[in-house]
């Protein structure tokens, strides 16, 4: 009689722990839009949620520590004229967030430290180029100020946020139908897209060429999602011909057959994959589900190993995923999700149980830090670089807030010489402040003249 050998893995007993009631964000009106995005974005400073808004599009930005009941009059980011469909925090500046909307625009916002005290209506820059609603925004992982957007006009635009210009365009000749998902490779050299024409494509965006493509990775007609994982592989989620949900792993050099294909269940919600390159774990969160499945990816067959599943009673309307530098390493937390309910946002910590209180080096290899490896000009010129890694051994301390400099129409070479985190204001900033000071002085003089005339009138009476 043969005995089945259980595969050894340090992540076999990862368990999810929902936050207590006082650590959740209560009384938030999560968007009712049917678009398949996460509706939530988080970083070590803020949590952002797409909300219901009358007469336009808005999303809520709260400091991570501001938990509990959210005031119904809390100020929001409300510059869009139609519902917001997707939001994404800049990986190199924790105060900058991008949003895509049904009003066909992408807007980039700067959030002050401590959060908003007044409604934010004026973005740092508005990126206009799409002719239909914008459903996907994604920042370049290693190049500064490079942002990708995908619209329902079947066009992908890559923007240099510093100049406010679209520097690359992938038109409808590449994607003849609606784009379901876009994901950057770890070094930002390639993007992986899934489309309504039932094809998954790997594209070199600077050349506009399709490096590889797979027709019908899943036989079903429902949307497919695709993300890059380790060692030149991609992971897709989709549906079988019998409408069973599936997850598959593919080698990008040999896309004829999947390395692994697993059927999960018969639910109808689209599975949103979140991949952690540090642990090689992929988390699958289904919209409308009440569970999070997680799998470990290895370099040997069968490549994709089911680990476990976190389940709760309430279904999720959306999901946010915290970057590794925002986790609590002293509690062996390897991932944290922000689950959206209808009126609440609930943090869920994924933890590996360990007896020791010491830093667990095997759980926390060097991870992507907040500094960009390349400028936009270097990346557009053909250079590639992996993320600049940092150690989490002593915990992560967020850097001082960095000003997002936007020089529309100015020489980009001047911008490149200005240090990103410099404490010295630029000449443009000084000139703007001097102009505002002159206006204030003129206003004070006018008020003083009015006061003098008023006193003369009173004395005359």
């Amino acid at each position: 009689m043969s005995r089945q050998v259980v595969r050894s893995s340090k992540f076999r007993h990862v368990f999810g722990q929902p936050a207590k009631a006082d650590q959740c964000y209560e009384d938030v009106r999560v968007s009712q839009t049917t678009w398949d995005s996460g509706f939530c974005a988080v970083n070590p400073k803020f949590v952002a949620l797409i909300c219901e808004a009358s007469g336009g599009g808005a999303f809520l930005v709260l400091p991570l520590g501001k938990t509990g009941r959210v005031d119904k009059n809390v100020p929001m980011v409300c510059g869009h004229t139609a519902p917001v469909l997707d939001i994404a925090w800049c990986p190199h500046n924790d105060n900058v967030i991008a949003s895509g909307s049904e009003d066909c625009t992408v807007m980039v916002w700067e959030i002050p430290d401590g959060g908003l005290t007044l409604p934010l209506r004026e973005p740092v820059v508005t990126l206009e180029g799409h002719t239909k609603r914008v459903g996907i925004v994604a920042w370049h992982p290693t190049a500064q100020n490079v942002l990708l957007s995908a619209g329902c006009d079947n066009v992908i635009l890559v923007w240099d946020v510093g100049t406010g210009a679209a520097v690359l365009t992938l038109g409808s000749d590449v994607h003849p139908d609606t784009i379901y998902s876009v994901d950057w490779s770890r070094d930002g050299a390639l993007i992986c897209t899934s489309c309504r024409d039932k094809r998954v494509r790997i594209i070199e965006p600077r050349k506009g060429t399709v490096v590889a493509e797979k027709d019908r990775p899943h036989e079903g007609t429902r949307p497919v999602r695709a993300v890059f994982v380790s060692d030149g592989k991609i992971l897709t989620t989709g549906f079988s011909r019998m409408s069973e949900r599936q997850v598959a792993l593919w080698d990008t050099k040999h896309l004829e057959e999947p390395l692994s294909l697993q059927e999960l269940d018969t639910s109808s919600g689209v599975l949103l994959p979140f991949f952690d390159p540090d642990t090689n774990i992929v988390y699958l969160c289904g919209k409308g589900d009440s569970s999070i499945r997680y799998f470990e990816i290895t370099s040997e067959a069968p490549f994709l190993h089911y680990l476990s599943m976190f389940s709760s009673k309430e279904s999720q309307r959306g999901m946010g995923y915290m970057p590794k530098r925002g986790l609590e390493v002293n509690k062996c937390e390897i991932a944290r999700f922000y689950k959206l309910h209808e009126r609440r946002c609930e943090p869920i910590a994924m933890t590996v149980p360990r007896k020791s209180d010491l830093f667990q080096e095997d759980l926390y290899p060097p991870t992507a830090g907040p500094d960009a490896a390349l400028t936009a000009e270097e990346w557009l010129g053909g250079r590639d670089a992996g993320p600049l890694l940092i150690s989490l051994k002593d915990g992560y301390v967020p850097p001082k807030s960095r000003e997002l400099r936007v020089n529309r129409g100015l020489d980009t070479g001047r911008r490149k010489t200005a240090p990103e985190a410099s404490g010295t204001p630029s000449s443009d900033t000084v000139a703007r402040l001097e102009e505002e000071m002159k206006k204030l002085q003129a206003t004070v003089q006018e008020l003083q003249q009015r006061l003098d005339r008023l006193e003369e009138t009173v004395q005359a009476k």
Side-chain angles (χ1 to χ4, degrees), residues 178-446:
T178 305
I179 300 163
Y180 286 140
S181 71
V182 182
D183 186 56
W184 289 98
S185 62
R186 188 162 165 79
D187 64 355
L190 302 170
I191 59 173
C192 177
T193 68
S194 62
C195 181
R196 195 173 181 175
D197 68 353
K198 301 182 176 59
R199 289 178 180 267
V200 168
R201 295 172 174 85
I202 297 165
I203 301 168
E204 215 292 17
R206 287 166 296 195
K207 296 178 182 176
T209 56
V210 178
V211 178
E213 65 180 339
K214 173 62 180 174
D215 186 26
R216 302 184 76 90
H218 300 275
E219 291 293 327
T221 57
R222 301 292 311 285
V224 169
R225 293 274 170 151
V227 294
F228 279 104
V229 293
S230 303
D231 303 323
K233 300 182 180 74
I234 59 171
L235 181 131
T236 60
T237 62
F239 294 79
S240 71
R241 195 170 288 172
M242 303 300 292
S243 294
E244 294 176 309
R245 292 198 295 191
Q246 297 177 324
V247 56
L249 187 68
W250 306 82
D251 185 343
T252 55
K253 296 177 182 176
H254 308 283
L255 287 171
E256 297 82 17
E257 293 293 330
L259 297 172
S260 176
L261 176 66
Q262 298 186 27
E263 293 189 346
L264 303 177
D265 56 29
T266 55
S267 295
S268 60
V270 175
L271 286 166
L272 307 179
F274 298 91
F275 176 66
D276 178 5
D278 300 336
T279 58
N280 280 328
I281 294 179
V282 64
Y283 302 86
L284 303 183
C285 309
K287 295 202 76 170
D289 288 9
S290 56
S291 61
I292 302 172
R293 291 179 174 84
Y294 28 108
F295 297 77
E296 186 175 3
I297 298 172
T298 59
S299 56
E300 299 175 353
F303 302 105
L304 189 64
H305 305 271
Y306 173 74
L307 291 174
S308 188
M309 179 169 66
F310 165 79
S311 297
S312 58
K313 294 179 181 178
E314 296 182 73
S315 60
Q316 55 228 19
R317 294 193 58 81
M319 193 70 76
Y321 180 64
M322 175 66 80
K324 188 61 68 75
R325 54 196 172 89
L327 303 180
E328 296 188 49
V329 296
N330 58 336
K331 295 182 180 178
C332 295
E333 183 184 28
I334 62 166
R336 190 190 311 153
F337 291 90
Y338 285 73
K339 174 180 174 179
L340 299 187
H341 303 253
E342 197 160 336
R343 304 279 297 186
R344 183 161 60 105
C345 176
E346 176 187 42
I348 299 170
M350 297 291 181
T351 309
V352 176
R354 293 281 172 94
K355 292 181 180 179
S356 173
D357 293 333
L358 299 175
F359 177 72
Q360 306 293 314
E361 290 191 20
D362 60 326
L363 298 183
Y364 301 103
T367 191
D371 293 314
L374 301 168
T375 63
E377 293 83 3
E378 288 171 338
W379 180 75
L380 288 167
R383 282 190 58 188
D384 292 317
L388 299 179
L389 305 180
I390 60 171
S391 171
L392 297 177
K393 186 169 185 178
D394 299 318
Y396 172 71
V397 179
K400 294 179 181 178
S401 60
R402 307 171 175 192
E403 181 190 359
L404 174 65
R405 295 195 175 95
V406 176
N407 297 326
R408 188 187 293 273
L410 296 181
D411 177 27
T412 53
R414 278 168 45 196
R415 174 167 48 84
K416 194 165 72 172
T417 60
E420 170 70 17
S422 171
T424 307
S426 66
S427 58
D428 295 337
T429 305
V430 171
R432 179 168 53 80
L433 290 173
E434 287 177 349
E435 187 67 28
E436 290 178 1
M437 181 67 75
K438 289 177 182 176
K439 290 180 181 177
L440 285 172
Q441 289 173 345
T443 305
V444 170
Q445 286 180 347
E446 186 181 348

Side-chain angles (χ1 to χ4, degrees), residues 40-42 48 86-91 96-100 107 137-139 147:
C40 180
V42 291
D86 197 19
I87 49 177
W89 287 105
C90 177
V96 172
I97 188 169
S99 58
M107 293 185 179
V137 288
W139 291 91
L147 176 68

